[in-house]
Amino acid sequence: CPFCLVMLTDSVNGKKNEGKAKETVQVLDVAQLLLDSVKTPADPEETPEPETAPEPEPVK
């Protein structure tokens, strides 16, 4: 909920200021995590092309 998100963020910021938490710690909502896990890349040119398996040679 938004209230919980504010309270958790305030607490994390306090711990960062005290030096008891890394600066990289983030407070995220479960919905944000879900969105990041299913998000497709914005630019398809940035995605690497899948490697194609070589064609098998015909049996003689």
Side-chain angles (χ1 to χ4, degrees):
C1 75
F3 180 74
C4 293
L5 195 58
V6 169
M7 293 296 109
L8 289 169
T9 301
D10 288 347
S11 178
V12 168
N13 288 338
K15 293 295 182 182
K16 286 179 183 179
N17 291 337
E18 295 172 3
K20 295 182 179 180
K22 294 181 181 179
E23 290 296 319
T24 56
V25 174
Q26 293 180 329
V27 177
L28 298 174
D29 187 65
V30 174
Q32 290 173 299
L33 294 173
L34 179 62
L35 177 64
D36 288 343
S37 72
V38 297
K39 196 184 303 183
T40 58
D43 187 5
E45 293 179 11
E46 292 180 9
T47 57
E49 301 234 354
E51 293 183 25
T52 57
E55 293 290 324
E57 294 184 22
V59 179
K60 295 182 181 181

